[in-house]
Amino acid sequence: MLFRSGRASSADVRIEAVEALPRGIGIALRENRDAVPVALPLLGGFNAWNAAGAYAAARALGIERAVAVAGLVVFMPLEYLWWRLIGYFGN
């Protein structure tokens, strides 16, 4: 099964909105008629496209929605992990 992602109305996983959060971004995804809110510890709106693609790939592989979202939410790039380790974000 193929899942298309992006902003187009024909996308199976559509990016509806992206907002800046204090420690990352909030993404409003829509899969068919269902809202899929995701908060990521990443900066930059381009990461909404990456997250939508990863979510679509997971769903195409048969991974349940909650598991796919959980995988996105816990993702941290190595640079972010380094800053957390040295206490930059006030663990």
Side-chain angles (χ1 to χ4, degrees):
M1 174 179 245
L2 175 67
F3 273 56
R4 296 164 295 178
S5 64
R7 288 201 178 263
S9 61
S10 61
D12 300 300
V13 176
R14 190 170 66 247
I15 302 167
E16 293 192 323
V18 180
E19 67 174 320
L21 300 175
R23 293 182 184 224
I25 58 173
I27 307 167
L29 295 177
R30 182 157 304 275
E31 181 184 353
N32 301 316
R33 294 184 178 180
D34 300 323
V36 183
V38 180
L40 298 179
L42 302 171
L43 301 176
F46 66 92
N47 279 308
W49 291 83
N50 296 337
Y55 177 85
R59 297 293 287 141
L61 291 169
I63 295 172
E64 294 179 20
R65 176 177 296 150
V67 175
V69 169
L72 291 173
V73 171
V74 299
F75 173 79
M76 286 188 196
L78 291 176
E79 181 179 340
Y80 185 82
L81 287 171
W82 170 248
W83 287 114
R84 285 190 56 105
L85 285 172
I86 64 170
Y88 183 78
F89 289 113
N91 297 346

